[in-house]
């Protein structure tokens, strides 16, 4: 089995997470999960 290593910088990950938060209109991971589960207030 061949395995490839995906190298992603910390900045790239933070950037993607922040864009997701912006689209969901939340500021925290907990709030994002609550929004996704439909339990956000």
């Amino acid at each position: 089995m061949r395995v490839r290593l995906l190298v992603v910088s910390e900045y790239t990950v933070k950037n993607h997470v922040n864009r997701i938060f912006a689209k969901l209109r939340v500021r925290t991971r907990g709030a994002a999960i609550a929004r996704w589960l439909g339990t956000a207030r």
Side-chain angles (χ1 to χ4, degrees), residues 6-7 10 14 16 20-22 24 26-27 35-36 39:
L6 176 63
V7 179
E10 180 180 350
K14 286 182 179 182
H16 284 294
I20 292 168
F21 285 1
L24 293 174
V26 297
R27 291 187 176 191
R35 176 68 55 97
W36 180 63
T39 58

Side-chain angles (χ1 to χ4, degrees), residues 7-33:
V7 179
V8 180
S9 74
E10 180 180 350
Y11 173 79
T12 301
V13 173
K14 286 182 179 182
N15 188 39
H16 284 294
V17 169
N18 285 331
R19 285 175 180 258
I20 292 168
F21 285 1
K23 285 183 179 186
L24 293 174
R25 297 183 184 153
V26 297
R27 291 187 176 191
T28 66
R29 287 181 293 177
I33 292 168

